[in-house]
Amino acid sequence: MNLIVSSQKISEQKADCFGFLLQEKEDALSEIKACEKKLGVTSAPFIKKQDFSGKRMQTCVIPVEHDGKVVHIIFIGLGEKKGLSIETYRRAVAQLYRQASAHKCETVAISIPKASLFDFSSEDFGQQTATILDMTSYAFNDFLSKENQIPSSITSVIACVSTADKTRFEKGVKEGRIIGKAVNTARHWIDTPPCDLTPPELAKYAKAIAKKYDLKLTHFTEQEIVKKGMGGLAAVGRGSEHDSQLVVLEYKSTKKNAGTIALVGKGITFDSGGLSIKPATSMETMKEDMSGAAAVIVTMEALAQLKPDVNVIGVTPLAENLPSGKATKPGDIVRFYNGKTAEIKNTDAEGRLILADALAYAVKHYKPDAIIDIATLTGACAYALGPFYTGLMTQNEDLCDVIQEAGKHSGDHVWRLPLTDDYNIAIKSDVADISNIGNQKYMAGATTAALFLKHFVDDIPWAHLDIAGAAFNVPDKPYYRSGATGVGVRLLIDLAMHWK
């Protein structure tokens, strides 16, 4: 999709779709009247017939014959002015794109509202616009025959802005396209069948990114993982014929005395539950269990281009959790990279095992100013928050604040869950330092999982992001389809770009 920023009026554009985002009961804009004059149509009867008043996400489509071709005018409602939000804008832009695509439009001109309506700068508004358009254009067609593919007829989108805003909006668009591409790359990897995306294959993608963008790469194979004493990562991948991997990507800022943050992403390319095997239906979407690692890898790719004023370390432990004669068994005890031990009571609580070694590695070798891990970790979090929020757990208030702000700004919203030491007793083991599942008496599975990870971050400010509910099959957001969402990518990029 070609995305053009133009300061020419929308009525002067050569397009077969003219899109407007309107507030509720907003008077007809001069741009609409100019389009009506150009196309020789009056929209009022159509608006009345379709009962369009500009309510949030309300849609009105007007087909017009002009110069022997069918042209569409599309109105999308933003709702009342007092209730406007950037998320409303994101969904309206996505809805407009979907409507234009459904009506087989090729060139879509959009009259962009003023950024100030949404309390955003022109540059940030351009970034949001581009990111959402790219995300909405995503479709996973790799394994569909041509007649069953999800095509988009749209080849070009023209964003019509004022002359005063054009330069800043255009700058934001360039950044937004990098972010949108990163999100869609993560979605593509997550949607790829697990037989094709194994731990070594995902490691290859990370290595290719490191080479292309001159990121420092550290890569450990399974044999090296075992030698280094990463017992958690080794234990999880033991039952698979595909070797586990640990990949570290490093972005170095040009700013002197820049701070350092570490991002750690869970990379289970398929999760059967191991010997504590999942029910069949629960396995159907378990190719998504590497969503955290995908988010971290593509974030590193984007940051290499966006160049924030902070050093960023991306650590991704990769494994496949399968049952076999070699698989880890309930009752086994594993020793992690930092020397701590855990009793394995359930092999389906595997994500925390691989994250433990990755967190300990980041602490020992980089001593970052902060660590953020991201993982499809617990069904408990999905049940607690549903599909629209990522669970945020931290005991550091400053880190909590910056992550919450990044969530609001980027669109990857977070919701804080408790992380108190009251729950430490839930992961007590009689035979090891900790247990890999919490005592059911204490419930709070998302919290007890996070407290397990806390044993591997020392005293470094740390936050845990549980994306179990938000990573796959999120409904009612028109910039998503069924399948992977790429959640966390926008959040992590925003966090790094605004890090202080």
Side-chain angles (χ1 to χ4, degrees):
M1 181 190 68
N2 191 24
L3 180 51
I4 302 160
V5 181
S6 175
S7 57
Q8 286 186 316
K9 294 184 181 302
I10 188 171
S11 57
E12 298 172 12
Q13 304 296 337
K14 291 182 179 179
D16 55 2
C17 177
F18 298 88
F20 298 89
L21 310 176
L22 303 178
Q23 298 169 44
E24 189 167 356
K25 298 177 182 176
E26 187 174 12
D27 292 333
L29 303 174
S30 59
E31 292 93 336
I32 296 175
K33 292 177 180 177
C35 270
E36 289 178 335
K37 183 177 179 180
K38 173 181 179 175
L39 301 174
V41 66
T42 301
S43 59
F46 294 92
I47 288 173
K48 185 176 180 180
K49 186 174 180 61
Q50 296 184 42
D51 197 26
F52 179 85
S53 62
K55 291 180 180 177
R56 190 169 179 265
M57 297 304 289
Q58 200 174 17
T59 303
C60 177
V61 181
I62 304 172
V64 180
E65 184 181 354
H66 180 68
D67 288 345
K69 295 189 294 186
V70 177
V71 176
H72 290 82
I73 302 174
I74 300 178
F75 300 125
I76 305 292
L78 292 170
E80 294 183 5
K81 184 175 181 178
K82 63 181 181 181
L84 289 180
S85 70
I86 192 64
E87 180 61 22
T88 299
Y89 174 73
R90 293 185 192 106
R91 297 188 193 191
V93 169
Q95 180 74 352
L96 175 54
Y97 183 98
R98 287 212 183 284
Q99 287 292 326
S101 181
H103 288 87
K104 298 187 173 10
C105 302
E106 294 181 3
T107 302
V108 182
I110 304 175
S111 178
I112 301 295
K114 291 185 179 298
S116 57
L117 284 171
F118 305 91
D119 199 25
F120 262 58
S121 69
S122 295
E123 185 175 331
D124 283 349
F125 205 52
Q127 182 199 96
Q128 294 289 326
T129 303
T131 299
I132 288 303
L133 284 169
D134 276 330
M135 287 176 63
T136 311
S137 71
Y138 172 82
F140 186 69
N141 287 323
D142 289 25
F143 295 86
L144 290 170
S145 54
K146 191 171 183 180
E147 62 269 21
N148 292 322
Q149 289 183 5
I150 306 168
S152 177
S153 58
I154 298 172
T155 57
S156 296
V157 174
I158 305 168
C160 301
V161 299
S162 68
T163 302
D165 288 335
K166 183 175 184 288
T167 300
R168 287 173 294 169
F169 190 91
E170 207 162 28
K171 185 173 185 286
V173 163
K174 290 178 182 177
E175 294 177 354
R177 300 222 68 178
I178 292 170
I179 298 167
K181 178 179 180 291
V183 175
N184 288 347
T185 298
R187 293 164 84 183
H188 187 270
W189 291 346
I190 297 160
D191 282 333
T192 297
C195 59
D196 289 342
L197 194 85
T198 61
E201 285 301 310
L202 187 51
K204 281 182 185 177
Y205 285 128
K207 288 158 75 174
I209 287 169
K211 184 176 181 180
K212 182 175 180 179
Y213 294 103
D214 197 27
L215 296 171
K216 185 178 178 182
L217 170 76
T218 305
H219 174 224
F220 298 137
T221 62
E222 185 164 300
Q223 190 176 15
E224 293 168 313
I225 287 165
V226 172
K227 283 182 179 179
K228 289 185 175 296
M230 296 181 177
L233 180 52
V236 173
R238 191 175 297 145
S240 171
E241 64 180 14
H242 299 293
D243 283 358
S244 298
Q245 316 278 309
L246 183 77
V247 179
V248 184
L249 299 174
E250 299 179 44
Y251 162 78
K252 179 89 172 162
S253 171
T254 56
K255 182 182 178 182
K256 287 185 178 179
N257 302 317
T260 299
I261 55 177
L263 309 176
V264 179
K266 173 187 171 184
I268 300 293
T269 60
F270 183 77
D271 183 18
S272 70
L275 290 178
S276 305
I277 199 161
K278 294 176 183 288
T281 54
S282 298
M283 276 191 256
E284 289 177 2
T285 62
M286 280 300 103
K287 61 184 180 180
E288 63 157 309
D289 217 16
M290 37 64 70
S291 297
V296 168
I297 293 168
V298 299
T299 292
M300 298 303 296
E301 180 180 22
L303 295 180
Q305 300 167 76
L306 296 169
K307 303 189 182 308
D309 291 333
V310 61
N311 302 318
V312 185
I313 314 299
V315 186
T316 51
L318 312 175
E320 187 176 54
N321 187 24
L322 291 177
S324 76
K326 298 186 298 179
T328 295
K329 299 172 285 295
D332 284 350
I333 296 175
V334 299
R335 188 177 299 276
F336 297 97
Y337 190 66
N338 69 349
K340 291 193 177 183
T341 60
E343 179 186 6
I344 308 302
K345 289 188 175 179
N346 189 313
T347 62
D348 195 21
E350 84 300 328
R352 65 203 72 182
L353 302 180
I354 70 169
L355 287 171
D357 281 323
L359 290 167
Y361 183 86
V363 168
K364 180 177 179 179
H365 294 279
Y366 299 101
K367 296 180 175 56
D369 302 307
I371 301 177
I372 300 98
D373 77 76
I374 179 168
T376 47
L377 205 63
T378 65
C381 188
Y383 279 105
L385 299 180
F388 302 124
Y389 287 89
T390 288
L392 164 63
M393 283 151 274
T394 182
Q395 294 180 343
N396 186 286
E397 297 303 318
D398 290 338
L399 190 53
C400 179
D401 289 345
V402 297
I403 292 173
Q404 287 179 323
E405 184 57 35
K408 290 176 186 175
H409 190 264
S410 68
D412 277 340
H413 298 286
V414 300
W415 194 272
R416 192 175 188 181
L417 293 173
L419 188 67
T420 69
D421 292 337
D422 293 330
Y423 293 94
N424 279 332
I425 193 171
I427 56 170
K428 185 178 182 297
S429 169
D430 293 331
V431 294
D433 295 328
I434 45 179
S435 167
N436 83 318
I437 58 169
N439 187 315
Q440 291 185 359
K441 178 170 68 174
Y442 296 93
M443 298 179 281
T447 293
T448 55
L451 283 170
F452 182 98
L453 299 178
K454 186 172 178 284
H455 284 264
F456 302 91
V457 295
D458 289 355
D459 58 354
I460 292 175
W462 157 76
H464 166 59
L465 300 172
D466 193 330
I467 57 173
F472 207 77
N473 285 345
V474 170
D476 304 333
K477 289 190 176 184
Y479 46 82
Y480 291 148
R481 297 185 186 271
S482 63
T485 64
V487 70
V489 177
R490 290 180 293 165
L491 171 68
L492 296 178
I493 293 172
D494 194 283
L495 187 70
M497 293 303 293
H498 297 96
W499 187 262
K500 293 181 182 177

